[in-house]
Amino acid sequence: MCCLICMADTDAIILKHSGKVSFFDCHRRELLSRHEYRSDIGKAITKRRSSKRLEGEQVVEWLDELVDDDDGGFLCYGEEHSWTHKSCLWELPYAKALVLPYNIDVMHQERNISAKKDLVEICDRPYLEIQINSNGMESRPRAPYYLKPEDRKQILKWLQTLNQYKRAVNVSTGKLNGLKSHDYHIFMERLLPVMFRGYFDDELWKLFAELSNFYRQLCAKVISKKLMRELEKGIPVLLCQMEKIFPPGFFNVMEHLLVHLPWEALAGGPV
Ligand SMILES: [Zn+2]
């Protein structure tokens, strides 16, 4: 469901109220087999293996088994697969030999994560359950990632002092407009930990800092196999920690793709 790497081997769910696909709680299976988070809640996931990665030959075999339906698609669409068409690229003579059939566009993925973390999104998504107070009114507790309006303004004004961002910042609407992929790239790898320092509690700030560090190491000009293997082990832990704070709707496929990036860097080389 949505992930080109996991394909059908995923625990992603469709959220009941929003109808969005969520990869919430899909990352404990990627942890080392004895990691403590595996047994945090429920036992079903503790023994699940990491999601399988299909190589070229397996994808071609799968495509060959698809059966056309009367609407121009394939039978069992949405139940057993998400294929809408067969790309001619799979007919190339070397398609079966591909170890890395897809390569995730890190800049695109980074941009989507970054856009989600913009200030407005953070402020507008309180995640705790709605509570009914003594007057029978609904109220929402303040989420740990809530930024007070005055803090938001301070951060935006600081961003305005940076040449690269000053034209993009709109303090009155609280939005960043017209940023390019490279701006988001810098935003995630350099600015994220700096701009939020002191505005969130240490636990949440540390998650932002670790995420930023992950991208910085992944996108370095020179990478080592050892470091990529460490990132591969570490990123599911970070995602599990984020799941303790952010709501299910936050974890769409873009957050999930983080677990696949270190392996792709190992197989395909520096980003
Ligand atoms: Zn996946």
Side-chain angles (χ1 to χ4, degrees), residues 66-107:
L66 294 176
V67 180
D68 294 340
D69 65 14
D70 297 335
D71 302 321
F74 304 109
L75 292 177
C76 301
Y77 173 79
E79 294 164 18
E80 295 175 11
H81 66 87
S82 298
W83 295 104
T84 53
H85 65 284
K86 293 181 187 178
S87 167
C88 59
L89 294 174
W90 291 109
E91 292 168 19
L92 290 168
Y94 54 81
K96 284 187 178 180
L98 292 173
V99 176
L100 186 61
Y102 312 98
N103 207 178
I104 299 166
D105 179 346
V106 177
M107 293 281 268

Side-chain angles (χ1 to χ4, degrees), residues 59-238:
V59 177
V60 172
E61 275 175 19
W62 194 3
L63 286 170
D64 288 344
E65 287 171 8
L66 294 176
V67 180
D68 294 340
D69 65 14
D70 297 335
D71 302 321
F74 304 109
L75 292 177
C76 301
Y77 173 79
E79 294 164 18
E80 295 175 11
H81 66 87
S82 298
W83 295 104
T84 53
H85 65 284
K86 293 181 187 178
S87 167
C88 59
L89 294 174
W90 291 109
E91 292 168 19
L92 290 168
Y94 54 81
K96 284 187 178 180
L98 292 173
V99 176
L100 186 61
Y102 312 98
N103 207 178
I104 299 166
D105 179 346
V106 177
M107 293 281 268
H108 175 75
Q109 191 265 353
E110 207 172 26
R111 178 185 178 130
N112 273 282
I113 291 221
S114 170
K116 189 179 264 192
K117 283 189 180 52
D118 79 29
L119 309 175
V120 175
E121 290 282 331
I122 284 174
C123 293
D124 287 352
R125 289 195 177 185
Y127 76 111
L128 299 173
E129 286 181 14
I130 294 173
Q131 296 175 351
I132 310 294
N133 64 21
S134 54
N135 300 324
M137 304 287 284
E138 290 183 347
S139 68
R140 290 178 177 174
R142 186 168 288 181
Y145 48 83
Y146 174 82
L147 268 175
K148 294 177 195 160
E150 58 269 28
D151 291 345
R152 193 180 357 161
K153 265 192 179 170
Q154 270 184 8
I155 294 173
L156 287 170
K157 282 183 178 172
W158 174 75
L159 273 175
Q160 268 183 328
T161 65
L162 308 176
N163 271 343
Q164 195 172 347
Y165 294 88
K166 64 182 175 190
R167 287 188 183 172
V169 176
N170 187 329
V171 178
S172 55
T173 61
K175 288 186 176 176
L176 298 169
N177 301 310
L179 292 181
K180 296 184 175 148
S181 291
H182 187 259
D183 301 326
Y184 284 107
H185 180 66
I186 300 296
F187 188 90
M188 289 302 288
E189 293 187 18
R190 304 285 167 185
L191 302 182
L192 189 66
V194 180
M195 65 190 279
F196 288 150
R197 183 88 206 227
Y199 291 105
F200 296 118
D201 66 33
D202 284 351
E203 189 187 359
L204 180 55
W205 176 80
K206 203 174 156 208
L207 297 184
F208 287 136
E210 283 183 21
L211 182 63
S212 176
N213 191 43
F214 170 83
Y215 276 119
R216 208 160 48 245
Q217 292 180 314
L218 183 86
C219 298
K221 286 182 184 168
V222 179
I223 57 174
S224 74
K225 288 182 180 175
K226 187 180 170 210
L227 182 59
M228 291 305 109
R229 288 195 186 105
E230 282 172 14
L231 291 183
E232 200 173 17
K233 284 181 203 162
I235 194 63
V237 180
L238 178 61

